């Protein structure tokens, strides 16, 4: 199977070598069950085996198989896509949470591949995220407060395991921000959020528009999604006033700039540590360098 080094590293980190070894059989079973034919594997996913597929009627699709890991990741992604029903996100055609399998509409190149400038990317991603935001109290998705606490625990553990690849001040700053976002969680304001809005997860549709893929899925304040946009493009962020992007995102969406900023602080450190742990560079080092500069500034 054509499996990227990053996905292999993620599977090893998750203790899932049997999943890697069993991929051919898993794919063959889904081809039989869903009446599909698979083709070329995509080279750049980070958390799944993703391959082109063709439906029985010849329509193009994509088969995605998530790396097994603790927690309800497959259920959460399937739930978000089912609730979105194509609004702002890729359309879900079939799913099997037990096998971590999703059959999706096939989309085109990402914002990254298209080379869309930063401000244009932010405009597109803000609009898509806002289309997704809606009350979903009975969805069973994790609340934002729980995710904030999980991120704090993840930061402490990964920072220690990796031998302190960023300064302690950056870690402490992220933990304070995570505590504030957990305390600020309100079920009355929580909406369905994507949870991983960035340019590699924003793909062109056949009609020339765009759609988000790979949702993590939470019930959180909408500022969480905008905090992801704060963690991305760290070099560009640090080229000027880092808080200006938070203010711009807030003005664009009517959200709270301080909440956007704090989620960005947390996600920057968390994702920088994760990227470092699986060898996703230079982005991991760039995120942690930005976190260091902000915490010490």
């Amino acid at each position: 199977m054509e499996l990227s080094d990053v996905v292999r590293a993620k599977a090893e980190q998750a203790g899932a070598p049997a999943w890697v070894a069993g991929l051919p059989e898993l794919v063959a079973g889904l081809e039989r069950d869903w009446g599909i034919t698979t083709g070329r594997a995509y080279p750049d996913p980070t958390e799944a085996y993703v391959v082109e597929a063709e439906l029985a009627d010849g329509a193009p699709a994509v088969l995605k198989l998530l790396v097994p890991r603790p927690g309800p990741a497959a259920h959460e992604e399937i739930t978000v896509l089912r609730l979105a029903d194509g609004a702002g996100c890729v359309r879900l055609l079939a799913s099997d949470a037990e096998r971590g399998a999703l059959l999706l509409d096939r989309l085109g190149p990402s914002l990254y591949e298209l080379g869309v400038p930063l401000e244009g990317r932010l405009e597109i991603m803000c609009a898509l995220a806002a289309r997704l935001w809606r009350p979903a109290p009975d969805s069973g998705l994790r609340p934002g407060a729980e995710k904030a606490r999980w991120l704090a625990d993840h930061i402490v553990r990964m920072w220690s395991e990796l031998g302190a690849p960023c300064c302690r001040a950056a870690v402490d700053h992220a933990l304070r921000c995570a505590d504030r976002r957990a305390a600020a969680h309100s079920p009355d304001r929580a909406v369905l959020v994507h949870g991983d809005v960035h340019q590699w997860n924003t793909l062109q549709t056949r009609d020339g528009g765009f759609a988000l893929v790979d949702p993590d899925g939470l019930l959180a304040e909408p500022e969480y999604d905008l905090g992801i946009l704060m963690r991305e493009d760290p070099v560009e962020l640090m080229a000027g006033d880092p808080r200006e992007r938070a203010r711009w995102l807030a003005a664009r969406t009517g959200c709270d700039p301080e909440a956007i900023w704090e989620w960005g602080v947390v996600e920057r450190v968390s994702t920088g540590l994760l990227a470092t742990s699986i060898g996703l560079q230079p982005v991991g080092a760039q995120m942690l360098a930005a976190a260091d500069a902000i915490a010490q500034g």
Side-chain angles (χ1 to χ4, degrees), residues 139-175:
S139 64
L141 294 172
R142 289 177 295 166
E146 182 179 327
K147 183 60 181 286
R149 290 189 289 268
W150 183 91
L151 287 167
D153 291 343
H154 168 79
I155 287 168
V156 171
R157 177 176 57 82
M158 293 297 294
W159 186 76
S160 177
E161 289 179 0
L162 294 171
C166 62
C167 69
R168 181 70 215 194
V171 170
D172 290 342
H173 186 202
L175 297 180

Side-chain angles (χ1 to χ4, degrees), residues 36-40 42 50-55 58-63 90-93 103-109 203-207 211 213:
I36 60 175
T37 303
T38 60
R40 180 183 66 90
Y42 289 88
V50 185
V51 62
E52 290 181 348
E54 188 175 280
L55 305 184
V62 168
L63 176 64
V90 64
R91 192 172 298 280
L92 179 68
L93 306 177
L103 188 64
L104 308 163
D105 193 17
R106 191 185 303 176
L107 302 178
L203 276 54
Q204 194 168 46
T205 59
R206 286 192 287 272
D207 63 4
V213 299

Side-chain angles (χ1 to χ4, degrees), residues 5-17 19-20 67-68 278:
D5 290 342
V6 172
V7 174
R8 286 186 186 276
K10 183 64 68 69
E12 182 177 348
Q13 188 182 68
W19 177 81
V20 175
V67 173
I278 61 173

Side-chain angles (χ1 to χ4, degrees), residues 129-230:
R131 288 187 65 195
L132 180 63
W133 297 338
R134 68 196 67 190
D138 300 322
S139 64
L141 294 172
R142 289 177 295 166
E146 182 179 327
K147 183 60 181 286
R149 290 189 289 268
W150 183 91
L151 287 167
D153 291 343
H154 168 79
I155 287 168
V156 171
R157 177 176 57 82
M158 293 297 294
W159 186 76
S160 177
E161 289 179 0
L162 294 171
C166 62
C167 69
R168 181 70 215 194
V171 170
D172 290 342
H173 186 202
L175 297 180
R176 290 193 299 271
C177 288
D179 285 345
R180 284 195 288 269
R181 295 332 311 155
H185 179 77
S186 168
D188 292 337
R189 192 167 177 267
V191 295
L192 180 68
V193 300
H194 180 280
D196 202 19
V197 180
H198 57 68
Q199 60 176 325
W200 288 272
N201 276 352
T202 309
L203 276 54
Q204 194 168 46
T205 59
R206 286 192 287 272
D207 63 4
F210 290 90
L212 296 168
V213 299
D214 299 349
D216 285 349
L218 295 168
L219 284 179
E221 54 189 354
E223 287 86 357
Y224 183 91
D225 273 342
L226 304 178
I228 304 296
L229 299 180
M230 289 297 300

